[in-house]
Amino acid sequence: MPHAVSLLRAARLARSAKPFLARGGFKRERCAGCRLLPSHCMCAIRPSVATRAGVCLIMADIEPLKPTNTGWLVADVVADTFAFGWARTEVDPALLALLNDPQWQPYVVFPGQYAAPERVVQGVEQPAMHGDAAAKRPLFILFDATWAEARKMFRRSPYLDRLPVLSLRPEQITQYKLRNSGRDDHFCTSEVAAMCMNLAGEGAAGKTLEAYLPVFSHHYLRAKNQQPVDWAGAEHLRLREVVSSQDS
Ligand SMILES: [Zn+2]
């Protein structure tokens, strides 16, 4: 079954009057499972990890249509990924229902300096360690958007105001960068999701997301440059290593 981001993309495509052509994107046929050219399809290696934590992507209008959107990768790896389009004037009742579902403890993932101090938390409860089966599952709310859009979405979504704001600490960010030769201070959605998973004690999902993004980038760039996929390259080796270490 198509995942949440795939469904949102299909719905958004159906609503657009003219076919969306991403700048720098390719206009040829794409695989419905991974958005890549069939020659560069990576559906066969899509990893999936069982997690207790979930992800709720709130996506800027055009985001599901971008060929480089990485919320898609989060939905590939984390089965309990939900995705909603954002609009200033309305909110999807299904999103409100999700936020009110007692099995979840939602966290809005956003830099703490933009929120009232009493809302800010720097970690998530990990009741699994205490064997408390009745405890709530963490649900990470991520804005899948540009930074400017994300700030607007954070400010203008009153239904999120009652929720705690999870602010990633500099040392978590530094740790991530050390492992993944990070470039600058801007992280894409799948990188933020990886950090959240690590924080929630979901190391397998975190590592998988960390290894999956470079594989996607490789396939995407090779397709764009009309070069074949290097299935024995460092990106694929790393992902295979991570996936097989979870099997054993
Ligand atoms: Zn595919």
Side-chain angles (χ1 to χ4, degrees):
M1 195 183 118
H3 58 50
V5 178
S6 174
L7 293 173
L8 193 61
R9 175 184 162 87
R12 185 59 186 79
L13 275 172
R15 271 193 291 122
S16 46
K18 57 184 176 204
F20 177 83
L21 297 176
R23 210 182 319 160
F26 22 70
K27 300 169 183 70
R28 287 170 287 167
E29 181 198 354
R30 292 174 192 211
C31 168
C34 65
R35 308 165 296 172
L36 293 160
L37 294 177
S39 56
H40 291 68
C41 170
M42 54 178 216
C43 290
I45 51 136
R46 182 190 307 145
S48 178
V49 183
T51 57
R52 211 178 149 264
V55 176
C56 174
L57 300 171
I58 301 185
M59 301 177 82
D61 181 56
I62 211 78
E63 197 62 40
L65 302 180
K66 290 183 184 168
T68 51
N69 167 268
T70 66
W72 185 286
L73 306 179
V74 178
D76 280 343
V77 173
V78 179
D80 277 320
T81 297
F82 307 87
F84 300 93
W86 187 85
R88 192 175 58 80
T89 50
E90 54 187 4
V91 52
D92 191 330
L95 170 57
L96 297 180
L98 176 67
L99 299 179
N100 286 319
D101 185 333
Q103 73 167 304
W104 297 108
Q105 171 56 58
Y107 295 92
V108 182
V109 181
F110 209 71
Q113 67 258 40
Y114 296 92
E118 61 271 20
R119 285 179 72 195
V120 179
V121 298
Q122 298 197 312
V124 305
E125 290 179 47
Q126 293 192 30
M129 290 188 300
H130 311 295
D132 182 0
K136 295 189 175 201
R137 306 164 65 189
L139 179 69
F140 297 107
I141 301 171
L142 308 184
F143 298 110
D144 199 3
T146 65
W147 172 234
E149 288 167 333
R151 268 188 324 205
K152 187 171 79 178
M153 292 155 83
F154 180 74
R155 276 201 317 267
R156 299 191 177 172
S157 305
Y159 46 91
L160 300 178
D161 288 351
R162 65 180 173 85
L163 301 174
V165 172
L166 174 64
S167 186
L168 296 168
R169 286 195 304 262
E171 59 264 34
Q172 284 149 1
I173 293 172
T174 308
Q175 245 180 29
Y176 183 94
K177 278 192 195 163
L178 286 176
R179 280 202 307 275
N180 297 283
S181 57
R183 313 145 315 237
D184 52 30
D185 277 335
H186 185 76
F187 292 98
C188 70
T189 301
S190 83
E191 290 176 309
V192 176
M195 286 187 260
C196 290
M197 286 295 150
N198 290 332
L199 199 59
E202 305 273 14
K207 282 204 193 76
T208 302
L209 280 168
E210 288 174 22
Y212 191 40
L213 175 65
V215 168
F216 169 68
S217 304
H218 174 79
H219 280 241
Y220 176 80
L221 289 173
R222 287 293 175 112
K224 202 172 156 193
N225 299 327
Q226 302 185 344
Q227 293 165 336
V229 170
D230 179 6
W231 292 95
E235 298 87 355
H236 278 280
L237 290 181
R238 175 70 190 136
L239 181 61
R240 278 204 286 276
E241 198 179 282
V242 168
V243 170
S244 64
S245 73
Q246 290 158 17
D247 293 340
S248 55

